[in-house]
Amino acid sequence: MLAAVAKILFRLFFVIFSVVTVIFFIQRMIPGTPADAILGPDAPLVQKQEWLRQNGFDRPISQQYVEYLQGIAQGDFGRRLVDGRPIAPQLSIRLQSTAKLAVSAFAVSLCLALILGVSAAVKAGTLLDKVFALFSLLMVSAPVFMTGTLLLWLFAVRWNVLPLTGHSGFRSLILPALCLGAALAAMTSRMVRASLLDVLREDYIRTAKAKGLPALRIYLSHALRNALLPVLTVLGLQLAGLLGGAVITEQVFTWPGLGTLMLEGVNQRDYNLVSACVVVLAFIHVVISAIIDLLQRLIDPRTVTE
């Protein structure tokens, strides 16, 4: 098990290092410079060159890369090129906002996926199963911006029971969390159903039924635990994606998260801001993937091959 943990930590470090390196050089390969976006294309060449010198872009690329790695290692993401404000405090605030939305949406997704998936598997082939399948198809097919706009129109405009905009308080969190969570639950519930149906066909489930064990105990204690193993990876990736920032949802509900912050950096050609956002997103994905890997090994030791 220790060897497995060591390998997971090594992969974590390697992926983060690779992402940091790739994002650094890709940004420098894009035609133009940040001075063009910040000072404008009509700014004098001398002014642009002076701006590049003041911000360190005139130094050799190797020196910029080393200084960039040193800053990342110390948790220093530098300052925004647009206004000179430190990036780390802004990242912290936006990440907290995104985490609040992501955890809420993940809770909605998990509850709906388990309820719909288990119910559909237990009632496979019935009308209830077909209704849930239709709901999943509709939620997967509907674009997030359309679902979000519909929720806003119903609950904020027509019925006026929830706020239209804002990002403070529990009530302002309900609509974006429901919009994100329902879309994710539609996909996950079908996987829960398929996985649970496979487990219910196993011999040990038939044996448990033959022994006269209560149906609830069979489904929850015996079947669902093994059925969730393949679903666990999908849930982890969903959580990582949510923490990465659902840009469209944040735009629809004017939620100031990490996704919208990164979009600001892209539009402004702010190398420092974009790099910081990408590094944080990569770190979140890798850490959550490592946690999911460890959880799978704990739930089913047969996955340990070392």
Side-chain angles (χ1 to χ4, degrees):
M1 189 64 180
L2 291 177
V5 173
K7 288 185 177 181
I8 291 174
L9 292 177
F10 175 76
R11 288 203 302 265
L12 188 151
F13 172 79
F14 178 76
V15 172
I16 293 297
F17 176 78
S18 301
V19 169
V20 169
T21 301
V22 169
I23 190 62
F24 175 85
F25 285 103
I26 283 183
Q27 288 184 118
R28 269 65 180 181
M29 293 169 58
I30 298 175
T33 65
D36 298 325
I38 294 172
L39 300 179
D42 299 329
L45 180 60
V46 176
Q47 186 179 357
K48 292 181 180 180
Q49 292 175 343
E50 177 62 20
W51 186 94
L52 293 174
R53 186 191 64 80
Q54 292 177 355
N55 290 273
F57 287 98
D58 63 328
R59 294 194 290 267
I61 193 71
S62 57
Q63 183 180 349
Q64 295 183 44
Y65 177 62
V66 172
E67 293 175 352
Y68 175 70
L69 290 180
Q70 291 175 345
I72 294 295
Q74 298 171 2
D76 181 13
F77 296 101
R79 296 178 176 271
R80 295 190 63 167
L81 299 178
V82 176
D83 50 25
R85 289 182 297 166
I87 294 177
Q90 298 180 56
L91 275 178
S92 177
I93 295 174
R94 294 296 188 97
L95 186 57
Q96 292 177 28
S97 180
T98 294
K100 186 189 301 183
L101 174 60
V103 172
S104 302
F106 184 77
V108 172
S109 172
L110 184 60
C111 293
L112 287 177
L114 290 177
I115 293 173
L116 298 179
V118 173
S119 301
V122 173
K123 300 293 184 180
T126 64
L127 178 62
L128 182 64
D129 184 21
K130 296 177 181 178
V131 171
F132 286 164
L134 179 61
F135 169 78
S136 299
L137 179 62
L138 291 175
M139 290 307 301
V140 170
S141 304
V144 175
F145 69 87
M146 186 182 75
T147 306
T149 304
L150 179 62
L151 289 174
L152 284 175
W153 179 76
L154 283 175
F155 292 96
V157 178
R158 184 173 180 84
W159 296 334
N160 194 25
V161 293
L162 291 172
L164 183 64
T165 59
H167 57 278
S168 60
F170 175 75
R171 295 177 70 247
S172 62
L173 188 61
I174 294 177
L175 289 182
L178 183 60
C179 178
L180 271 179
L184 296 177
M187 297 181 290
T188 311
S189 63
R190 303 310 297 171
M191 180 169 290
V192 171
R193 176 188 180 277
S195 182
L196 187 56
L197 283 177
D198 289 338
V199 173
L200 290 176
R201 299 189 186 101
E202 297 291 337
D203 292 336
Y204 69 90
I205 297 296
R206 298 192 187 97
T207 303
K209 291 180 179 179
K211 289 181 178 180
L213 294 179
L216 186 62
R217 181 179 176 185
I218 293 174
Y219 289 131
L220 296 182
S221 301
H222 297 277
L224 189 58
R225 177 180 177 180
N226 292 324
L228 287 180
L229 280 174
V231 181
L232 192 60
T233 302
V234 177
L235 290 174
L237 293 176
Q238 286 184 350
L239 179 59
L242 288 171
L243 287 172
V247 179
I248 298 177
T249 303
E250 291 177 0
Q251 291 289 335
V252 171
F253 293 96
T254 61
W255 190 270
L258 196 60
T260 53
L261 182 64
M262 184 169 62
L263 191 60
E264 290 177 16
V266 172
N267 292 332
Q268 297 170 352
R269 300 276 307 265
D270 194 328
Y271 287 177
N272 293 346
L273 181 59
V274 175
S275 299
C277 291
V278 172
V279 170
V280 170
L281 297 183
F283 182 79
I284 290 173
H285 275 270
V286 174
V287 169
I288 291 181
S289 298
I291 293 174
I292 294 300
D293 196 355
L294 290 174
L295 286 177
Q296 287 180 327
R297 294 167 185 270
L298 291 175
I299 294 175
D300 187 358
R302 293 173 298 177
T303 59
V304 181
T305 57
E306 293 80 6

